[in-house]
Amino acid sequence: MYVSKHHALDDSEAIFGLMEAHPLGAWVCHTAGGLVANHVPFLLDRSRGEFGTLVGHVSRANPIWRALGAAAPSVVMFQGPQAYISPGWYPGKAAHGKVVPTWNYTVAHAHGVARAVDDRDWLLDMLNRLTATHEADRPAPWRVDDAPADYVDRMLRAIVGVELPIQRLEGKLKASQDEDLPDRLGTVCALRADPSDEAQALAGLVEKALGGM
């Protein structure tokens, strides 16, 4: 991934936070048949390895798990808040006109070699952890053992685990850091006027980047 000096995100805590807040990873694996892409909700285990380990699962019917191995490197891309940025928001448009549209976003790329895990106990533990993570804020959290045991066993036989120790981690935050200060402030103002959660989240990132000036 190309990252200019303005947009480098080197804070591992911020990168981990992005991955945990946006866990649906775009997983691209290099196989003997070429590049294969899948979208998988991953759980980040920060305690395992220098950069953590991603765990998840795919359908047993998905051929990707049979293609994994040392010769099949992967990258998992996590997309945070993003939005089109209009030059009409910039005071510079009226002052000199030398402005163009851009796109602000934040992403994390996790590189490593994934392996398939076909083990019932591992899968059940992973599903319990994944479910607990995403049900934690609900008033009546659903648990895997809320389902009938024979049904859970059937579902477990229908999936295969994926484990990816992260060997290299990249982060990028494109939040108007290379624009003039008045134009950056104009971007925040316009994003704050948009009630969508994504616009509000991105406005917060632009504001946070302003604090680092």
Side-chain angles (χ1 to χ4, degrees):
M1 173 172 62
Y2 169 70
V3 183
S4 75
K5 63 180 182 180
H6 300 289
H7 305 137
L9 182 60
D10 299 320
D11 182 350
S12 59
E13 186 64 29
I15 297 173
F16 285 157
L18 188 159
M19 295 163 69
E20 290 169 337
H22 303 274
L24 182 64
W27 172 33
V28 179
C29 186
H30 187 278
T31 72
L35 296 177
V36 177
N38 285 275
H39 297 268
V40 176
F42 282 102
L43 181 69
L44 172 64
D45 186 342
R46 298 193 186 200
S47 68
R48 297 174 56 201
E50 181 181 1
F51 303 110
T53 297
L54 296 173
V55 293
H57 66 279
V58 295
S59 166
R60 186 172 291 276
N62 187 334
I64 186 59
W65 67 273
R66 299 182 187 277
L68 300 180
S74 294
V75 59
V76 184
M77 295 168 281
F78 298 89
Q79 171 75 63
Q82 55 83 31
Y84 171 77
I85 306 300
S86 171
W89 300 345
Y90 296 167
K93 176 179 180 292
H96 51 69
K98 297 177 182 178
V99 293
V100 294
T102 191
W103 209 283
N104 278 355
Y105 57 90
T106 181
V107 292
H109 290 185
H111 298 260
V113 176
R115 73 181 187 97
V117 184
D118 195 7
D119 176 88
R120 184 189 185 281
D121 291 341
W122 187 99
L123 286 166
L124 184 58
D125 176 69
M126 179 272 300
L127 290 178
N128 280 323
R129 293 164 62 200
L130 188 65
T131 301
T133 296
H134 295 295
E135 291 282 335
D137 295 332
R138 298 183 181 276
W142 182 86
R143 295 166 50 92
V144 173
D145 58 13
D146 286 342
D150 59 340
Y151 176 77
V152 172
D153 284 340
R154 189 163 71 251
M155 293 297 98
L156 286 170
R157 292 193 296 271
I159 62 174
V160 176
V162 175
E163 183 175 74
L164 190 151
I166 302 172
Q167 298 171 342
R168 182 163 59 93
L169 196 57
E170 299 177 297
K172 182 174 183 178
L173 172 62
K174 190 171 181 297
S176 299
Q177 300 99 317
D178 51 347
E179 305 295 342
D180 292 339
L181 178 57
D183 294 344
R184 296 171 73 175
L185 294 173
T187 293
V188 170
C189 184
L191 288 170
R192 286 297 184 201
D194 182 336
S196 70
D197 290 343
E198 191 153 54
Q200 295 301 308
L202 190 56
L205 292 175
V206 178
E207 288 174 328
K208 186 175 181 180
L210 280 167
M213 292 181 64

